[in-house]
Amino acid sequence: MPIRSWKREEAVAAVSPVVDVSRRKKKYDRMDLTTCLKSLLLAIQQYRDSRTAQNAAQLQKQVEEVSGLKCDQLLSSGQVLPSECVSGLVGLAGNPNTSPALTSSIISLLAQLACDDDSREMLHSSYNLTSTLASVIHCHSATPGEPLVLQCLQVLQKLTYNTRIFQSTNYIHELISFLMTNIQSHDDDIIMPCLGLMANLCRDNHSVQSHIKSLDNVKPFYRTLINFLAHNSLTVVVFTLSILSSLTLNEKVGEKLFDAKNIHQTFQLVFNIIVNGDGTLTRKYSVDLLVDLLKNPKIADFLTRYQHFSACVSQVLGLLQSKDPDSAAKVLELLLAMCSVSGLRGLLCEVVFKPAGAKLRAAGRRQGGGLDGGRKAEPGLALVQWLSSPVEGAESCSVQALHLLNELLEEALGAESVPDCVLSFVEMLLPVLNSPLTCLPPGSENDLSQVCAEALLRTLELMSKLRQQVKDMETSFYRMLQDQRIVTPLSLALTSHHRERVQTGLSLLFEATPLPDFPSLVLGESMAANNAYRQREAELSVKRVAVQEVPPPRLNTSVLDCSSGSSRSVHCLVEKIQNGLELQEQVKDSHVSEIIDVYEQKLSAFASKESRLQDLLEAKALALSQADRLIAQYRFQRAQAEAEARKLGGLLKDAERRREDLQSELSNQVLEVERSKADMEELLQHNARLQRDSEEHQALKGAYNALLSRFNESERLLKDLQTAHISLTKQNDTLRKNHEALQLQHEKMASVLEERGEEIRSLHSDLQQKNSDIAGLRAELRAEEEKVKERDQERRDLEETVDVLRKELNKTEQARKDASIKASSLELQKSQLETKLKQKEDELNKHSAMIAMIHSLSSGKMKSDVNLSL
């Protein structure tokens, strides 16, 4: 006992300086951050009370100091001071009276705080940073190229990724209009962030999609997006495809873009971007695009028939060999989405479980090798290495890898025959799954523990079905069932709420119970511990609900110190008892059991007290977090109310100014009315005089009208005769022009007829020549027929020649018939034209006679009218 305690004290003394230094450093950093936050809050209040240049400079200095510190998970800590600082900064950033430089510094700090998903969610939901940044963009929409606008767009793209934005959010319609306008501009600096933000807003958001489709300028917007598909930047192409898939996938435009002709090029483009993209951002959006496309059954069916699918998936799996958890997470997300398509699961199994040979077995024996497997490592090996990855922040990748392996093993297990490559993969996989990472105790990372346990049980089930087919598989299977580490996953399965897990656990328990070294007692204790843990969780949940309804009591620090001191003393006492029991293992004393019972009672009492204090602390923390949220919401509402009050004050001033203007206009109108009354009296007197003059004018007008009617009658007759004369002269001119045109046409037809006659004569001469040729050929044929009677072979050749000549004769006969038909048709046309020409000449003679008669009549009437007038 003294030797053991001396060794422990020596070890503690050796480690304590390092621990004290690290604790002091953390405490100093925490105090430094707290001091800066207090100074920042004071500067915010001073600037809010008095917006002077000095206060603005002081506030900007404090903001820059906080930006230089490490602020990871500051918002998720639940403290009041950071919440007040962030609320004040958001309110100042949304105030249009804040200078652009100060607003830019504040937005930079807020973007720095949004370092993880929880912080981004709090900034979006609790502090309404999204609507604040949208209002800043709306205020500076006239100058979209301003650095502040670009900064807001970049931060909004970061905030809205994988976040649902409701249509009722403030300034969301103005933001969408701004994005659509600037996407159709020619400024490349603003097009890319606008496209990225629009892709975030449209993805899985039917309200935003319907709003965009209802706008008037949506068709030019579609045309601009389609033109962007030929852009030289892969990031722009990915953003554009994401927007088009969200807006037009189930419409005619989307059916044309993603039809059977274009979809294979789209697949090739997206896979190339995923493998050889511009960076993590482009790869992230490319994976999201392909996942969204796979939700369409038609496109998923196209991908199953894509001929380069296996090669592309192999290249994508090669990305798992890097040590970047973000890229690996997106790749695993894509593979899990592909597993949801039934036609792709078999293809994925072929790629992942392809023959690995000695590489996989060597990697299974060399678990601690990390991810340095080389670029030519097998795809399955790169996937398994993420199960025990030493990379920081790779927990989600391990869970995704386990889900993927579970899906693929289910597919391989359901096949009629299991290939050897799957068996070799299982041999490598099993040692990785008994590893300490995958078999975690219940209560620590519960989700990861459940997934690991399920994957291990699936693997054991696979081994149970393959033990008769694979060499040494049965031995490995029974050896694993007798391993002590099988207790945790098996107890989790037997106490699970899922029917399939319980059935799988029972089948394995049935196999393991007859084994001699199976830890049945430990399994029972583990199952009892799981049930007790779940019961304890249920009781705590009920207590939390009850405590939330009652105001939390104030806790004295002395009570906490006492409890912490008592817990320390209890732990020391337990340690001493354990050490004493180790020394006295062979001694059985009844007093020891009694002492143990007494201390167990005391320990249970202390544990119950500690649990009650822990419940009170949790209730207090929950109440504080709720109070922080309410304070943040109140401050945001107060900022909104102040902004609305300022707006109403401006409107009131505008209304007062308009009222004064309208008052001056009203006085001017009264003066004008008085002047108009005086003018009206003068106009009435003048109107009476004009009435008398009008009556005299009417009497004179009657006499004038009688004389004028006679004059108009004679003038009308003259005009009728003149119009008749003019019309007849026009008819004469038209007839003369028609006659000239017909003469020209007659001359042209005559020339055409002469040409046709020459053609007919030439055709007659050709026909005669052909006839003479035919006669000569017939004579030669008859002579040759007499000569060829004795030679059979020559006779056959001449018969073929005769057939050819007969065909030519038929052709010439047909040509002669066609020529005669053409000649007859031309003669018919000539006769028709001659008859038409004679008719036109007769009509022309008649018209000339009528014109002469009209001339004679018109000359006689004119003379008689002149005599009557005289």
Side-chain angles (χ1 to χ4, degrees):
M1 184 73 182
I3 296 174
R4 191 172 295 174
S5 62
W6 175 77
K7 288 183 178 179
R8 187 182 298 113
E9 291 174 358
E10 185 180 11
V12 171
V15 176
S16 59
V18 180
V19 176
D20 291 340
V21 170
S22 62
R23 286 179 179 174
R24 283 197 298 269
K25 187 176 184 302
K26 290 181 180 178
K27 184 176 181 182
Y28 176 76
D29 293 340
R30 188 161 54 248
M31 290 176 62
D32 191 17
L33 180 59
T34 304
T35 305
C36 290
L37 289 176
K38 289 180 179 178
S39 302
L40 177 61
L41 183 60
L42 180 61
I44 290 171
Q45 292 175 354
Q46 290 177 353
Y47 181 74
R48 190 183 296 163
D49 296 336
S50 177
R51 295 179 178 270
T52 61
Q54 183 179 0
N55 290 339
Q58 182 66 25
L59 176 58
Q60 188 165 1
K61 180 181 177 182
Q62 294 297 328
V63 169
E64 292 173 355
E65 287 183 0
V66 176
S67 299
L69 298 176
K70 188 177 181 181
C71 303
D72 296 343
Q73 297 181 350
L74 183 63
L75 293 177
S76 58
S77 62
Q79 300 177 2
V80 180
L81 183 59
S83 177
E84 291 182 354
C85 292
V86 172
S87 299
L89 291 175
V90 171
L92 291 178
N95 194 337
N97 296 324
T98 307
S99 63
L102 182 57
T103 304
S104 178
S105 301
I106 292 173
I107 293 173
S108 298
L109 177 58
L110 295 174
Q112 185 178 348
L113 293 177
C115 57
D116 55 353
D117 295 337
D118 294 335
S119 300
R120 286 194 291 270
E121 178 63 25
M122 289 185 67
L123 287 172
H124 168 68
S125 59
S126 300
Y127 299 99
N128 293 324
L129 183 58
T130 302
S131 59
T132 301
L133 295 176
S135 66
V136 174
I137 293 174
H138 178 63
C139 292
H140 297 82
S141 59
T143 56
E146 191 176 350
L148 179 60
V149 177
L150 296 176
Q151 184 184 15
C152 291
L153 289 173
Q154 292 170 359
V155 178
L156 273 176
Q157 185 179 355
K158 185 177 180 181
L159 282 177
T160 57
Y161 181 73
N162 278 344
T163 303
R164 180 69 62 85
I165 305 298
F166 295 101
Q167 192 177 354
S168 58
T169 306
N170 293 333
Y171 295 100
I172 190 62
H173 291 171
E174 291 81 358
L175 179 61
I176 292 173
S177 177
F178 174 84
L179 293 177
M180 293 181 66
T181 302
N182 287 277
I183 285 173
Q184 300 179 61
S185 66
H186 301 286
D187 189 1
D188 292 336
D189 295 334
I190 198 171
I191 285 175
M192 187 175 295
C194 288
L195 285 172
L197 181 54
M198 182 64 82
N200 291 346
L201 295 177
C202 293
R203 191 185 181 207
D204 294 333
N205 199 331
H206 297 290
S207 61
V208 173
Q209 293 173 11
S210 59
H211 173 69
I212 294 175
K213 292 176 185 178
S214 63
L215 297 177
D216 296 333
N217 57 342
V218 66
K219 290 185 178 179
F221 180 63
Y222 285 167
R223 287 195 291 267
T224 304
L225 291 177
I226 293 172
N227 293 331
F228 280 148
L229 295 177
H231 203 274
N232 53 4
S233 175
L234 295 178
T235 307
V236 172
V237 175
V238 170
F239 288 162
T240 304
L241 284 173
S242 178
I243 298 170
L244 288 173
S245 65
S246 299
L247 294 176
T248 66
L249 190 58
N250 298 320
E251 296 182 356
K252 293 183 179 179
V253 179
E255 291 177 359
K256 291 181 181 178
L257 285 175
F258 301 104
D259 59 356
K261 297 180 181 178
N262 300 327
I263 194 64
H264 293 287
Q265 298 178 358
T266 306
F267 289 151
Q268 188 65 43
L269 174 65
V270 174
F271 279 120
N272 287 336
I273 293 173
I274 293 174
V275 178
N276 306 314
D278 295 339
T280 307
L281 180 66
T282 308
R283 183 174 294 121
K284 186 187 300 183
Y285 280 87
S286 302
V287 170
D288 293 339
L289 171 63
L290 195 52
V291 169
D292 293 341
L293 291 177
L294 286 176
K295 295 177 183 177
N296 190 316
K298 193 174 182 180
I299 296 179
D301 183 61
F302 287 149
L303 186 59
T304 58
R305 292 177 286 172
Y306 181 50
Q307 58 180 350
H308 305 296
F309 176 76
S310 299
C312 293
V313 171
S314 299
Q315 293 178 351
V316 170
L317 284 169
L319 297 174
L320 295 176
Q321 299 171 15
S322 65
K323 295 184 179 180
D324 185 11
D326 295 333
S327 298
K330 296 307 292 186
V331 171
L332 292 171
E333 180 184 350
L334 175 61
L335 295 175
L336 284 171
M338 290 179 179
C339 283
S340 64
V341 181
S342 59
L344 298 178
R345 290 165 67 98
L347 299 176
L348 285 175
C349 290
E350 293 178 2
V351 176
V352 175
F353 299 144
K354 68 181 180 180
K359 290 184 179 180
L360 289 177
R361 296 189 183 92
R365 293 191 295 268
R366 191 176 64 251
Q367 294 179 21
L371 297 178
D372 299 331
R375 292 298 295 174
K376 294 184 179 180
E378 298 294 337
L381 177 60
L383 181 63
V384 172
Q385 283 172 338
W386 279 100
L387 293 178
S388 57
S389 173
V391 179
E392 183 180 358
E395 293 82 5
S396 62
C397 296
S398 301
V399 175
Q400 287 178 317
L402 283 170
H403 277 295
L404 181 61
L405 286 175
N406 188 16
E407 295 287 338
L408 296 178
L409 287 174
E410 283 184 359
E411 181 70 19
L413 186 63
E416 295 180 355
S417 61
V418 181
D420 296 335
C421 58
V422 178
L423 302 180
S424 61
F425 184 85
V426 171
E427 290 179 3
M428 180 272 302
L429 181 63
L430 292 179
V432 178
L433 295 176
N434 287 332
S435 63
L437 175 67
T438 54
C439 292
L440 296 175
S444 61
E445 300 292 339
N446 191 30
D447 294 336
L448 183 61
S449 177
Q450 291 285 350
V451 174
C452 296
E454 184 178 0
L456 180 58
L457 294 178
R458 293 287 184 184
T459 308
L460 289 172
E461 186 180 8
L462 177 63
M463 292 178 66
S464 175
K465 295 184 178 181
L466 298 178
R467 56 185 173 178
Q468 303 297 334
Q469 303 176 8
V470 183
K471 183 180 180 180
D472 298 332
M473 179 65 76
E474 188 173 8
T475 305
S476 301
F477 174 66
Y478 287 126
R479 185 175 64 250
M480 291 185 65
L481 287 180
Q482 298 179 77
D483 197 336
Q484 295 285 338
R485 292 174 293 181
I486 198 65
V487 170
T488 300
L490 193 57
S491 64
L492 288 174
L494 291 173
T495 57
S496 176
H497 296 292
H498 298 281
R499 183 184 304 171
E500 295 179 357
R501 295 179 185 175
V502 175
Q503 291 176 354
T504 305
L506 287 174
S507 63
L508 293 174
L509 181 63
F510 179 76
E511 294 282 347
T513 302
L515 299 177
D517 295 332
F518 177 69
S520 57
L521 295 176
V522 181
L523 177 62
E525 293 177 357
S526 179
M527 292 174 64
N530 288 342
N531 293 329
Y533 176 75
R534 289 180 179 174
Q535 184 178 2
R536 178 67 177 166
E537 285 291 325
E539 292 175 355
L540 287 177
S541 63
V542 173
K543 289 181 180 179
R544 290 191 189 100
V545 173
V547 169
Q548 287 177 5
E549 296 176 355
V550 180
R554 296 185 177 272
L555 294 178
N556 194 355
T557 56
S558 62
V559 177
L560 296 178
D561 295 337
C562 179
S563 63
S564 61
S566 63
S567 63
R568 284 197 296 271
S569 64
V570 169
H571 288 301
C572 294
L573 184 59
V574 171
E575 186 176 357
K576 290 179 181 178
I577 291 174
Q578 289 177 352
N579 293 331
L581 289 175
E582 287 176 2
L583 292 174
Q584 298 175 359
E585 283 179 356
Q586 306 299 327
V587 181
K588 295 184 178 179
D589 192 359
S590 61
H591 297 289
V592 175
S593 61
E594 294 176 358
I595 293 171
I596 290 174
D597 293 336
V598 171
Y599 280 114
E600 282 181 352
Q601 293 176 1
K602 291 183 179 180
L603 286 173
S604 62
F606 281 125
S608 61
K609 290 181 181 179
E610 185 180 4
S611 64
R612 285 196 295 272
L613 291 173
Q614 187 66 29
D615 294 340
L616 293 174
L617 283 173
E618 290 178 356
K620 181 66 175 178
L622 183 61
L624 286 175
S625 63
Q626 290 178 353
D628 292 340
R629 285 195 295 271
L630 290 174
I631 289 170
Q633 292 176 0
Y634 167 71
R635 286 179 176 164
F636 179 74
Q637 291 174 359
R638 186 180 66 182
Q640 283 185 339
E642 289 178 356
E644 291 179 357
R646 286 193 296 271
K647 187 186 292 185
L648 290 174
L651 293 174
L652 182 60
K653 291 179 180 178
D654 293 338
E656 290 290 335
R657 194 180 303 110
R658 289 181 60 190
R659 186 184 63 79
E660 293 175 356
D661 296 338
L662 290 173
Q663 187 68 30
S664 60
E665 290 180 2
L666 182 60
S667 60
N668 294 329
Q669 291 291 334
V670 170
L671 293 175
E672 289 181 359
V673 167
E674 292 177 355
R675 293 196 192 99
S676 62
K677 286 181 179 179
D679 295 337
M680 186 66 70
E681 293 177 356
E682 295 179 356
L683 288 173
L684 288 173
Q685 294 176 1
H686 185 65
N687 191 16
R689 290 195 299 269
L690 290 176
Q691 188 68 29
R692 290 193 297 269
D693 296 338
S694 164
E695 293 174 356
E696 296 177 357
H697 178 69
Q698 289 295 331
L700 295 173
K701 190 175 181 181
Y704 174 75
N705 289 333
L707 295 173
L708 187 60
S709 60
R710 293 175 59 192
F711 176 74
N712 290 334
E713 184 67 23
S714 59
E715 189 174 5
R716 184 179 60 79
L717 292 173
L718 179 61
K719 287 182 179 179
D720 292 339
L721 292 173
Q722 288 177 352
T723 52
H725 177 70
I726 292 169
S727 63
L728 290 173
T729 54
K730 288 181 179 178
Q731 289 180 0
N732 187 17
D733 293 336
T734 54
L735 289 173
R736 185 166 52 254
K737 290 178 182 178
N738 291 333
H739 178 68
E740 292 174 357
L742 288 173
Q743 284 182 349
L744 292 174
Q745 189 175 3
H746 176 70
E747 293 174 357
K748 289 180 181 178
M749 291 301 298
S751 62
V752 170
L753 288 174
E754 290 178 358
E755 293 176 358
R756 297 297 183 187
E758 292 178 357
E759 290 180 0
I760 291 169
R761 286 193 293 274
S762 64
L763 289 174
H764 277 298
S765 62
D766 292 339
L767 185 61
Q768 291 175 359
Q769 184 66 30
K770 294 290 183 181
N771 289 330
S772 62
D773 293 339
I774 290 168
L777 290 171
R778 285 177 178 173
E780 291 177 0
L781 181 61
R782 283 192 297 271
E784 290 295 330
E785 285 178 352
E786 292 176 356
K787 293 178 182 179
V788 168
K789 291 179 181 179
E790 295 177 356
R791 302 179 205 173
D792 294 331
Q793 187 66 30
E794 293 179 359
R795 180 177 58 77
R796 293 190 187 95
D797 296 337
L798 288 174
E799 284 179 356
E800 292 176 359
T801 306
V802 169
D803 292 335
V804 172
L805 292 174
R806 283 176 180 173
K807 291 179 181 179
E808 292 181 355
L809 179 63
N810 291 329
K811 289 180 181 179
T812 52
E813 287 288 339
Q814 186 66 31
R816 185 179 62 78
K817 290 179 180 179
D818 294 338
S820 62
I821 291 169
K822 288 181 181 179
S824 62
S825 64
L826 290 172
E827 289 177 356
L828 180 62
Q829 290 178 1
K830 179 181 177 183
S831 62
Q832 290 176 354
L833 289 172
E834 286 178 352
T835 55
K836 287 182 179 179
L837 184 62
K838 288 180 181 179
Q839 290 177 359
K840 293 293 181 180
E841 287 178 353
D842 296 337
E843 291 178 357
L844 185 62
N845 292 329
K846 290 179 181 179
H847 284 300
S848 60
M850 289 173 65
I851 290 167
M853 183 176 65
I854 289 167
H855 274 291
S856 62
L857 290 174
S858 61
S859 61
K861 287 183 179 180
M862 288 293 292
K863 290 179 181 180
S864 62
D865 290 338
V866 170
N867 292 326
L868 287 172
S869 63
L870 291 173

